């Protein structure tokens, strides 16, 4: 009623003004992103890069179901089509409503979302979808074991009480049309637990399980476990000589925030899956993927964890490769020595007149943009992890009607989460990448601001502290509040040259660290598998 809504009027007015400025879809995504960032423990999220990979594995689809939709990330990643039908269900009514609104703003077709316990009260019992995407809840004991013993969905066997994930697998298969594809995110134990071996065996025998992909650590919550993707297909007929694709992209994990090297993960998984899907088999790709005859997996354990069936990468020229790494490391260390900053000269504390990024934006000295939209151009996305690690653009963004923010040489990119003082000046190699989520782009007017001067002063620790807000679980940077001195352009360039030299030194240190880790790991592996001699 009106009186009840009255206290929320300023908030509603602000949301309406934001939507008028950005458009309804972008305003909604911005507000949702802020809400999720402020309450990270309240939701189990499917990262956008993983959602995009899962959607690409099922391919183009007219009818798609997510029976555990959460915030709608998986269905949002599906390539939109005008005649598309998207079905969603979640046990939390607020999440079901949120997904319905999010998809209505994003999709071109029909959206049907429902609230309710999917396994106990399926809202779409007659559906035969082209594809199912699902990130089910893991390790649920109270999934309906006692009351669902005779449910017709258990075509492959009645799941044990501790095998809730196999109940979700069979629910997904039951909602597919013949030949339809499902992709589920699964905990790795589901591939090997003894309590599920009979169901796993029947999935293999009947040709329903097509692929298992071991993801790197950090791909999705819980971030300390290397989760699996299961690709399933509702069999039209049992294959004569069935094989299953097993792939392991765990080697593409990276340190720090931002998750794995998603570009390499995506290319490796999709290339292997598409080759396997076309031919029904795949030549071995050592350490990465192979297709395994089902008969090899039907032993007492029926364990199809990829790591157990993939040989390590070939080490025939391991010693030569390690020598090359050692040589590159030596060159990088010599470069690092040459780039080491000269001794610092003492100076009295400066008393500059200060301005803020917000004031510079209002005055036209720079343009400020936020990232997160994919547009219609499929270009690599620069993620916050790429900025923090100093690596090439590795992300992907879901296609949308909102234009992507594309980087240009000389732009300064600032991450807004995590509390770190990091910036990145875009060079020619990175220009053209789309700006990812949780990043702010500053495009300085070169006649007023030197980009390296801007990037350097924004990295000051005290500067970041005064511009940050602190929630219980996250730190967020308000880029508009960051300060820098008002200096003539010539003086800015003097500082900018010094900041650029520091950046070169920092990049050389990072490169040396990566080569050192590669050399150490290669030596351990070579010594332990016998391909490298210990010497005298």
């Amino acid at each position: 009623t009106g009186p009840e809504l009255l206290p929320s009027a300023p908030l509603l007015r602000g949301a309406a003004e934001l939507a008028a400025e950005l458009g309804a879809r972008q305003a909604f995504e911005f507000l949702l992103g802020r809400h999720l960032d402020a309450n990270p423990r309240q939701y189990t999220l499917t990262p956008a890069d993983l959602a995009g990979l899962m959607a690409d594995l099922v391919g183009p689809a007219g009818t798609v179901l997510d029976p555990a939709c959460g915030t709608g990330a998986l269905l949002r990643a599906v390539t939109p089509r005008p005649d598309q039908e998207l079905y969603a269900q979640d046990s939390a009514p607020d999440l079901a409503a949120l997904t319905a609104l999010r998809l209505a703003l994003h999709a071109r077709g029909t959206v049907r979302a429902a609230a309710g316990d999917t396994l106990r009260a399926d809202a779409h019992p007659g559906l035969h979808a082209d594809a199912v995407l699902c990130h089910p809840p893991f390790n649920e004991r109270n999934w309906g074991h006692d009351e669902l013993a005779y449910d017709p969905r258990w075509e492959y066997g009645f799941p044990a009480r501790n095998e809730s994930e196999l109940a979700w697998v069979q629910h997904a298969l039951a909602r597919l049309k013949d030949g339809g594809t499902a992709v589920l995110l699964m905990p790795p134990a589901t591939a090997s637990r003894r309590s599920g071996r009979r169901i796993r065996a029947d999935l293999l025998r009947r040709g329903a399980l097509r692929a298992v992909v071991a993801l790197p650590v950090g791909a999705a919550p819980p971030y300390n476990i290397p989760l699996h993707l299961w690709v399933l297909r509702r069999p039209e007929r049992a294959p004569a000589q069935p094989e299953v694709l097993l792939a392991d992209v765990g080697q593409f994990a990276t340190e720090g925030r931002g998750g794995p090297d998603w570009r390499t993960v995506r290319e490796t998984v999709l290339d292997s899956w598409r080759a396997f899907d076309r031919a029904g088999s795949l030549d071995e790709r050592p350490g990465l993927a192979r297709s395994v005859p089902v008969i090899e997996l039907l032993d007492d354990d029926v364990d199809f964890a990829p790591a157990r069936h993939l040989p390590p990468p070939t080490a025939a020229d391991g010693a030569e490769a390690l020598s090359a790494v050692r040589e590159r490391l030596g060159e990088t260390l010599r470069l690092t020595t040459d780039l080491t900053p000269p001794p610092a000269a003492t100076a009295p504390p400066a008393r500059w007149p200060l301005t803020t990024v917000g004031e510079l934006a209002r005055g036209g000295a720079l343009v400020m943009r936020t990232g997160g939209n994919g547009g219609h151009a499929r270009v690599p996305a620069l993620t916050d992890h790429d900025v923090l690690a100093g690596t090439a653009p590795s992300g992907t963004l879901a296609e949308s009607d909102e234009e992507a923010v594309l980087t240009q040489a000389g732009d300064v990119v600032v991450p807004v989460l995590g509390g770190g003082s990091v910036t990145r000046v875009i060079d020619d190699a990175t220009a053209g990448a789309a700006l990812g989520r949780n990043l702010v782009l500053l495009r300085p007017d070169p006649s007023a601001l030197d980009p390296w001067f801007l990037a350097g002063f924004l990295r000051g620790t005290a500067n970041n502290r005064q511009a940050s807000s602190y929630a219980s679980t996250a730190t967020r940077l308000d880029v508009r509040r960051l300060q820098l001195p008002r200096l003539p352009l010539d003086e800015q360039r003097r500082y900018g040259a010094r900041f650029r030299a520091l950046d070169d030194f920092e990049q050389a240190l990072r490169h040396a660290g990566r080569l050192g880790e590669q050399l150490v790991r290669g030596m351990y592996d070579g010594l332990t598998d016998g391909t490298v001699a210990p010497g005298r």
Side-chain angles (χ1 to χ4, degrees):
T1 64
E4 291 170 330
L5 281 175
L6 193 59
S8 299
L11 178 63
L12 296 171
R13 189 180 300 114
E17 291 170 355
L18 183 67
E21 179 185 348
L22 301 179
R25 181 183 303 136
Q26 192 166 351
F28 180 84
E29 291 295 329
F30 170 77
L31 293 171
L32 175 62
R34 291 297 297 266
H35 176 65
L36 297 178
D37 292 340
N39 302 278
R41 296 183 182 178
Q42 189 173 337
Y43 305 100
T44 300
L45 302 179
T46 308
D49 291 307
L50 176 58
L53 173 59
M54 293 172 69
D56 285 341
L57 282 168
V58 301
T63 307
V64 189
L65 165 69
D66 183 349
C69 62
T71 59
L74 289 174
L75 291 176
R76 188 179 183 276
V78 174
T79 303
R81 292 168 48 170
D83 58 344
Q84 203 166 52
E85 294 183 1
L86 301 179
Y87 292 81
Q89 184 168 350
D90 198 276
S91 58
D94 56 335
L95 289 181
L98 185 151
T99 293
L101 177 55
R102 189 180 195 188
L103 296 177
L105 289 169
H106 174 75
R108 302 180 193 175
T110 304
V111 177
R112 294 182 174 88
D117 184 325
T118 296
L119 295 181
R120 288 187 173 92
D122 182 13
H124 312 293
L127 180 64
H128 297 288
D130 297 317
V132 174
L133 294 169
C134 186
H135 178 174
F138 297 160
N139 303 317
E140 276 200 332
R141 292 278 179 160
N142 184 27
W143 59 266
H145 177 272
D146 295 337
E147 57 264 53
L148 297 174
Y150 301 102
D151 195 288
R153 288 172 292 183
W154 315 145
E155 293 182 51
Y156 301 87
F158 180 41
R161 189 181 301 277
N162 65 332
E163 292 288 355
S164 62
E165 295 86 6
L166 292 178
W168 286 97
V169 163
Q170 294 189 79
H171 174 81
L173 286 166
R175 293 295 160 264
L176 287 173
K177 70 178 186 182
D178 288 347
T181 303
V183 179
L184 283 84
L185 185 66
M186 304 287 277
T190 313
S192 56
R193 273 193 300 245
R194 290 190 63 80
S195 54
R197 65 187 187 278
R198 289 186 180 178
I199 294 176
R200 294 197 301 271
D202 211 30
L203 290 169
L204 289 170
R205 286 192 195 95
R206 296 170 61 180
L209 182 68
R210 304 300 296 130
V212 177
V213 178
L215 296 169
V217 169
Y223 289 107
N224 61 331
I225 297 174
L227 301 173
H228 288 178
L229 288 178
W230 286 22
V231 183
L232 303 116
R233 186 161 287 160
R234 184 166 181 82
E236 297 176 89
R237 59 183 181 277
Q241 294 180 319
E243 296 190 2
V244 174
L245 174 67
L246 300 181
D248 189 340
V249 288
Q251 62 186 281
F252 303 124
T254 56
E255 294 184 3
R257 294 172 61 252
D261 177 356
W262 277 113
R263 175 187 279 188
T264 308
V265 168
R266 175 188 173 86
E267 290 174 354
T268 303
V269 172
L270 292 179
D271 184 51
S272 299
W273 164 247
R274 287 166 180 166
F276 170 78
D277 197 32
R278 284 192 302 269
S281 63
L282 182 76
D283 292 336
E284 184 179 310
R285 301 178 181 184
L288 288 177
R290 66 180 285 235
S291 59
V292 181
V294 164
I295 194 67
E296 288 187 19
L297 302 173
L298 291 174
D299 54 17
D300 289 341
D301 296 322
V302 197
D303 183 345
F304 43 64
R308 298 183 186 276
H309 301 279
L310 291 176
T314 180
D317 57 350
E320 290 82 356
L322 289 175
S323 296
V325 172
R326 186 178 184 277
E327 197 169 310
R328 281 164 34 220
L329 175 60
E331 293 171 1
T332 305
L333 289 173
R334 287 189 289 274
L335 175 63
T336 304
T337 301
D338 294 340
L339 293 173
T340 302
T346 304
R351 294 287 186 265
W352 297 302
L354 297 175
T355 185
T356 65
V357 168
E359 290 171 353
L360 291 169
R362 287 192 293 272
L366 58 81
V367 174
M368 186 171 173
R369 303 288 300 277
T370 56
N373 293 305
H376 294 291
R378 285 285 188 167
V379 297
L382 187 71
T383 68
D384 55 350
H385 176 71
D386 298 330
V387 175
L388 293 167
T391 52
S394 65
T396 55
L397 294 172
E399 187 177 353
S400 69
D401 290 334
E402 303 293 338
E403 287 299 316
V405 177
L406 301 182
T407 58
Q408 297 179 10
D411 290 345
V412 177
V413 176
V414 186
V416 297
L417 291 182
S421 54
V422 179
T423 60
R424 178 161 175 178
V425 178
I426 301 299
D427 57 14
D428 291 332
T430 309
L435 190 69
R437 277 193 66 203
N438 302 320
L439 293 175
V440 170
L441 178 144
L442 306 176
R443 184 165 292 159
D445 177 350
S447 66
L449 273 177
D450 179 82
W452 286 99
F453 163 80
L454 173 64
F457 271 96
L458 297 190
R459 286 190 63 169
T461 302
N463 199 4
N464 274 258
R465 284 178 180 167
Q466 64 83 26
S468 296
S469 58
Y470 302 92
S472 59
T473 57
T475 302
R476 189 172 190 93
L477 181 68
D478 184 349
V479 176
R480 291 180 177 274
R481 289 170 51 193
L482 288 169
Q483 299 175 336
L484 63 158
R486 295 180 182 273
L487 295 178
L489 193 55
D490 288 344
E491 187 71 1
Q492 291 182 32
R493 287 173 179 154
R494 260 194 349 115
Y495 275 96
R498 189 64 181 271
F499 287 136
R500 186 167 194 165
L502 283 173
D503 185 77
D504 290 341
F505 177 60
E506 184 177 34
Q507 293 297 333
L509 286 175
R510 283 176 171 159
H511 188 46
R514 286 193 285 266
L515 287 171
E517 290 174 4
Q518 187 178 346
L519 180 61
V520 169
R521 173 48 51 199
M523 288 296 295
Y524 271 112
D525 289 346
L527 288 166
T528 54
D529 65 19
T531 58
V532 172
R536 295 185 179 179

